[in-house]
C-alpha cells in the first residue's frame, strides 16, 4: 500500500485541545490543566472569547472558549451552572486567564468541570486573546487545507484508475486502502453491487457485509459513513447508488468522508453510462474479470472478490472463456443489459458455476466457469458456446448476414491460470475474427494466428504476404477459377490430394492442373516443406493485412 494512504496517515485531521495548548500563543501563558486531562484529544472547531454569563447560548459546540472569568459569577452555584451549560453545549475546552478577576480558579468551578468531563485550563500569565485566536484559526484552516489535499489526491488516483481502463472495483479499492476499512457500493434500495476490503489479509468483505451492514439495513452500525451517488442528472435530487464506509479496523475520519464524496462524483458518471442496475452489475463483473486478466487483482485476492459477485466454484478448476461480437459494441438503449440477461438464462442450463461479465468498449463478454474436472473441458465448452450464441440471438444482437460471435476457450486451472487464460482468450478472440467459423476456438491452437495478429500493422508482414502469395492474389482478381481457395484447402488437408478434391468437388485431374498452375505462378514446389510452411503462414496472415 502506498505510504501516503495508510490509515495512520489519515488520523488527526483537526486541531486538538492539546495541540492548541502547544502553540506559542497559549504556551506563553503557562497553561495548567485542572480538569479533563484525559480529553485533550477533543477537536477544536473554532475559538471564541467572551465575558458574558450567557455565553453558552452563542456557541455551537466544538469551540475553545477564552475568558478572564468576569462572566463566571461570584457565587459557587452560578459558577457550577456556567460550567454545566458549557459542557452541555459541547465546547472543546474552557481556558481562563488568571488576573484581576481570579488569582486562582474557584474549587466549585474545577470540581464541576471534572464531574462534567470538560477540559479546564488556567493561564498563569496574560496573553493577547486576539493573537491566540488568529494562531489557532490559522492552524485549523491549514489542517482543513491539508485534509482537502489528501482527499484531492485520492480523487486524482480514482480518476487515473478509470482513465487507465479500471472500473468501479478499483475506485472502491483505492477508497478502502485510504480509509483502512472495507467500502461497499449498494443500490439505493440496499442491494450490494460491489465490495472492496481493507485490513488483515484474511478479511473477506462479503463476510463483513453479511455480519455488519447486512444485518443493520434499517439502522447502519454506529460510525458508518453513507455517501449518496447522484443519478438522473444535475439538480434532480435522485440517488443512483450509495457508498458505505464501515468502521471495522478504524473510525471513519472526516477526510475519508470527503474522499468518498469526491469519488461519488466519479462513480455517478460511470453509473449514468450504465443505464440500469442489471447492466451495471454485468459491467462490474466484466471489470473484475478484466482486472484479473490484466493482473490488477492478485490471484490470492480474487476468490474473495469473486464470492462478493456471487461466484463460488470452490476448489474446482476454472475455465476462462471470452466471446467477442463480430460487429463490436452494440447500440445504446440497454443492449448490454439485455444481452447479459439472455446469456445468463441460457448458461443456467450448462450446470456449472458461471461468472459472466460484459465489456462494451471492447465488444466482448468474458466469463469464468467452475469445472468438476479438467476432463469435461470440451463438453462444457460445447454447451457454453451454444448458450452464448443463443443468448446473442435472443438479445437481438446478431444482425442478419453477420458473422456469428467468436467464442474462445482457454486453459483450465487455478486462479493464476485463469488470469493468464482470460488475457490470452481476449487477445485470441480478436485474432480469430477472420478464421473459418467454428462453434468455439481452442486458445492453445491459435497462438500462430495471435502472433500474426499482433504483427498486423508491421509493414514486414504485408511484404511477406505479398512475396508469398501475391501472384495468386493478382491472378484471382483477373481470372477464374480462383486459385487461393484451392491452395488453402490443399494445405488444410496436409497435401492429401484425394481429400482436397473431395472437399472442392473436383475430379483429380482438374485438381492436379490447378496445383500445377499454382506452382507455376508462385515459382515454388508445393511438395517442399519450407514452401508449405511459408504458404501456410502467408494464408493465415493475409486476414490481418490490407
Amino acid at each position: 500500500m502506498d505510504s501516503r494512504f495508510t490509515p495512520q496517515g489519515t488520523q488527526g485531521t483537526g486541531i486538538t485541545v492539546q495541540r492548541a495548548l502547544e502553540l506559542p500563543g497559549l504556551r506563553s501563558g503557562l497553561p495548567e490543566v485542572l480538569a479533563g486531562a484525559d480529553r485533550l484529544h477533543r477537536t477544536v472547531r473554532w475559538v471564541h472569547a467572551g465575558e458574558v454569563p450567557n455565553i453558552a447560548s452563542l456557541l455551537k459546540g466544538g469551540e475553545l472558549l477564552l475568558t478572564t472569568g468576569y462572566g463566571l459569577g461570584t457565587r459557587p452555584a452560578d459558577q457550577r451552572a456556567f460550567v454545566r451549560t458549557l459542557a452541555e453545549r459541547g465546547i472543546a475546552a474552557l481556558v481562563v486567564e488568571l488576573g484581576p478577576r481570579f488569582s486562582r480558579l474557584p474549587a466549585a468551578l474545577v470540581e464541576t468541570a471534572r464531574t462534567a468531563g470538560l477540559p479546564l485550563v488556567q493561564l498563569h500569565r496574560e496573553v493577547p486573546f486576539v493573537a491566540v485566536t488568529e494562531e489557532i484559526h490559522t492552524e485549523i484552516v491549514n489542517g482543513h487545507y491539508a485534509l482537502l489535499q489528501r482527499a484531492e489526491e485520492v480523487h486524482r488516483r480514482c480518476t487515473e484508475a478509470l482513465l487507465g481502463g479500471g472500473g468501479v472495483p478499483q475506485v472502491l479499492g483505492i477508497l478502502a486502502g485510504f480509509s483502512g476499512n472495507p467500502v461497499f457500493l449498494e443500490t439505493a434500495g440496499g442491494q450490494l453491487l460491489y465490495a472492496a476490503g481493507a485490513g488483515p489479509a484474511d478479511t473477506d468483505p462479503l463476510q463483513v457485509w453479511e455480519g455488519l451492514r447486512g444485518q443493520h439495513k434499517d439502522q447502519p452500525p454506529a460510525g458508518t459513513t453513507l455517501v449518496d451517488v447522484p443519478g438522473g442528472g444535475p439538480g434532480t435530487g435522485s440517488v443512483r447508488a450509495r457508498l458505505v464506509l464501515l468502521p471495522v479496523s478504524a473510525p471513519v475520519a472526516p477526510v475519508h468522508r470527503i474522499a468518498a464524496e469526491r469519488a461519488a462524483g466519479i462513480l455517478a458518471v460511470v453509473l449514468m453510462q450504465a443505464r440500469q442496475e442489471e447492466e451495471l452489475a454485468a459491467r462490474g463483473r466484466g471489470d473484475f474479470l478484466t482486472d484479473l486478466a490484466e493482473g490488477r487483482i492478485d490471484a490470492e485476492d480474487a476468490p474473495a472478490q469473486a464470492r462478493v459477485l456471487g461466484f463460488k466454484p470452490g476448489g474446482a478448476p476454472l475455465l476462462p472463456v471470452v466471446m467477442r461480437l463480430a460487429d463490436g459494441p452494440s447500440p445504446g438503449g440497454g443492449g448490454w443489459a439485455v444481452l447479459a440477461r439472455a446469456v445468463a438464462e441460457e448458461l443456467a442450463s450448462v450446470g456449472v458455476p458461471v461468472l459472466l461479465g460484459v465489456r462494451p468498449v471492447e465488444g466482448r463478454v468474458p466469463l469464468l466457469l467452475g469445472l468438476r474436472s479438467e476432463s469435461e473441458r470440451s463438453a462444457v465448452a460445447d454447451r457454453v458456446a451454444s448458450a452464448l450464441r443463443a443468448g446473442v440471438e435472443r438479445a437481438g444482437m446478431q444482425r442478419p448476414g453477420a458473422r456469428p460471435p467468436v467464442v474462445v476457450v482457454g486453459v483450465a486451472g487455478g486462479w493464476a491460470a485463469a488470469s493468464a487464460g482470460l488475457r490470452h482468450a481476449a487477445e485470441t478472440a480478436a485474432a480469430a475474427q477472420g478464421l473459418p467459423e467454428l462453434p468455439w476456438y481452442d486458445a492453445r491452437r491459435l497462438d500462430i494466428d495471435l502472433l500474426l495478429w499482433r504483427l498486423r500493422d508491421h509493414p514486414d508482414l504485408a511484404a511477406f504476404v505479398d512475396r508469398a502469395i501475391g501472384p495468386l492474389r493478382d491472378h484471382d482478381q483477373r481470372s477464374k477459377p480462383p486459385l487461393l481457395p484451392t491452395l488453402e484447402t490443399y494445405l488444410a488437408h496436409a497435401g492429401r490430394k484425394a481429400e482436397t478434391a473431395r472437399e472442392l468437388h473436383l475430379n483429380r485431374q482438374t485438381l492436379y492442373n490447378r496445383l500445377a498452375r499454382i506452382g507455376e505462378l508462385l515459382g515454388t514446389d508445393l511438395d517442399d516443406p519450407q514452401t508449405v510452411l511459408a504458404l501456410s503462414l502467408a494464408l493465415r496472415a493475409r486476414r490481418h493485412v490490407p
Side-chain angles (χ1 to χ4, degrees):
M1 183 186 298
D2 191 328
S3 62
R4 293 171 298 172
F5 300 103
T6 58
Q8 291 82 1
T10 61
Q11 301 304 314
T13 53
I15 182 174
T16 63
V17 175
Q18 180 67 51
R19 173 60 180 158
L21 296 177
E22 293 170 352
L23 293 175
L26 286 178
R27 191 173 69 243
S28 67
L30 303 179
E32 178 185 0
V33 179
L34 301 180
D38 59 337
R39 303 197 178 190
L40 299 182
H41 61 277
R42 284 183 173 181
T43 300
V44 176
R45 183 185 62 80
W46 207 240
V47 182
H48 191 84
E51 305 296 343
V52 295
N54 65 338
I55 195 170
S57 62
L58 305 177
L59 305 178
K60 296 181 179 180
E63 294 90 352
L64 187 146
L65 177 60
L66 301 172
T67 181
T68 58
Y70 282 101
L72 296 177
T74 56
R75 298 184 306 166
D78 293 336
Q79 295 166 356
R80 293 190 183 96
F82 183 87
V83 172
R84 281 196 298 267
T85 306
L86 291 177
E88 291 170 358
R89 181 61 69 174
I91 71 167
L94 173 62
V95 178
V96 182
E97 181 184 84
L98 301 179
R101 182 66 181 86
F102 294 112
S103 60
R104 55 181 295 181
L105 292 186
L109 195 72
V110 176
E111 291 170 2
T112 306
R114 289 173 179 168
T115 303
L118 175 66
L120 174 63
V121 180
Q122 64 180 7
L123 300 178
H124 292 275
R125 290 174 56 184
E126 181 180 347
V127 298
F129 282 0
V130 171
V132 170
T133 300
E134 290 179 348
E135 188 176 53
I136 295 178
H137 285 177
T138 298
E139 190 82 0
I140 292 172
V141 170
N142 289 342
H144 282 301
Y145 179 69
L147 180 149
L148 291 173
Q149 279 188 313
R150 291 202 295 274
E152 184 60 32
E153 175 66 11
V154 174
H155 180 266
R156 182 190 63 77
R157 295 184 66 209
C158 292
T159 302
E160 288 180 351
L162 291 178
L163 293 177
V168 175
Q170 278 194 283
V171 172
L172 297 190
I174 291 171
L175 286 176
F178 179 57
S179 67
N181 286 305
V183 178
F184 305 90
L185 183 67
E186 59 180 36
T187 67
Q191 179 183 359
L192 179 63
L193 292 174
Y194 299 92
D202 58 351
T203 300
D204 186 340
L206 182 58
Q207 293 179 351
V208 172
W209 172 265
E210 293 173 344
L212 290 176
R213 176 61 173 155
Q215 298 177 11
H216 299 81
K217 291 190 180 297
D218 296 331
Q219 186 65 38
T224 299
T225 293
L226 304 177
V227 176
D228 289 341
V229 177
T236 63
S238 62
V239 176
R240 180 69 176 178
R242 186 171 286 111
L243 276 171
V244 182
L245 282 70
L246 291 179
V248 176
S249 301
V252 180
V255 68
H256 303 146
R257 181 180 185 90
I258 294 174
E261 289 171 347
R262 297 290 184 88
I266 297 176
L267 293 173
V269 176
V270 177
L271 302 191
M272 281 191 291
Q273 293 174 349
R275 298 183 180 178
Q276 41 191 300
E277 290 172 1
E278 188 172 5
E279 181 174 343
L280 171 62
R283 288 188 182 213
R285 295 189 294 270
D287 290 343
F288 165 75
L289 292 171
T290 300
D291 287 344
L292 178 65
E294 297 300 328
R296 291 189 286 264
I297 297 177
D298 292 334
E300 307 85 58
D301 300 331
Q305 296 191 34
R307 285 196 298 273
V308 170
L309 298 173
F311 183 56
K312 304 174 183 177
L318 302 174
L319 183 65
V321 178
V322 172
M323 176 177 70
R324 185 181 179 89
L325 301 181
D327 296 326
S330 71
W336 285 98
V338 175
L339 174 65
R341 182 171 60 250
V343 169
E345 291 172 356
E346 294 289 341
L347 287 171
S349 63
V350 174
V352 296
V354 177
L355 179 63
L356 167 75
V358 297
R359 291 288 291 180
V361 174
E362 297 92 350
R364 65 175 183 245
V365 176
L367 55 153
L368 274 181
L369 301 103
L371 304 179
R372 287 181 288 270
S373 67
E374 293 189 28
S375 62
E376 65 174 351
R377 175 178 180 268
S378 294
V380 170
D382 287 337
R383 299 198 299 271
V384 168
S386 177
L388 288 172
R389 295 191 177 203
V392 171
E393 292 181 5
R394 282 181 51 189
M397 297 181 70
Q398 178 66 47
R399 294 186 176 91
R403 176 189 171 94
V406 170
V407 178
V408 176
V409 179
V411 180
W415 282 99
S419 174
L422 282 168
R423 182 171 61 255
H424 187 206
E427 286 189 308
T428 306
Q433 291 288 88
L435 295 178
E437 292 182 16
L438 292 175
W440 58 274
Y441 300 88
D442 190 332
R444 297 173 298 186
R445 304 187 62 182
L446 296 180
D447 281 340
I448 292 177
D449 295 279
L450 178 57
L451 175 61
L452 295 172
W453 179 78
R454 288 172 174 168
L455 296 172
R456 64 193 182 279
D457 295 325
H458 200 290
D460 287 348
L461 185 64
F464 164 69
V465 172
D466 190 59
R467 286 195 305 271
I469 61 173
L472 283 188
R473 289 193 304 187
D474 295 340
H475 170 275
D476 288 358
Q477 291 174 358
R478 301 189 308 266
S479 307
K480 291 186 178 181
L483 297 178
L484 276 172
T486 301
L487 177 61
E488 196 163 20
T489 306
Y490 176 71
L491 295 177
H493 287 289
R496 293 186 290 270
K497 296 182 177 65
E499 295 178 17
T500 303
R502 189 161 45 249
E503 181 170 332
L504 293 174
H505 305 289
L506 299 174
N507 61 55
R508 289 200 177 190
Q509 189 57 52
T510 301
L511 175 62
Y512 296 158
N513 292 339
R514 289 191 183 181
L515 292 176
R517 179 59 175 158
I518 290 172
E520 178 186 342
L521 288 170
L522 297 180
T524 58
D525 180 3
L526 296 184
D527 292 326
D528 176 56
Q530 293 297 324
T531 298
V532 170
L533 175 59
L535 292 175
S536 298
L537 289 175
L539 287 171
R540 288 188 174 192
R542 71 186 175 118
R543 303 183 182 96
H544 308 303
V545 298

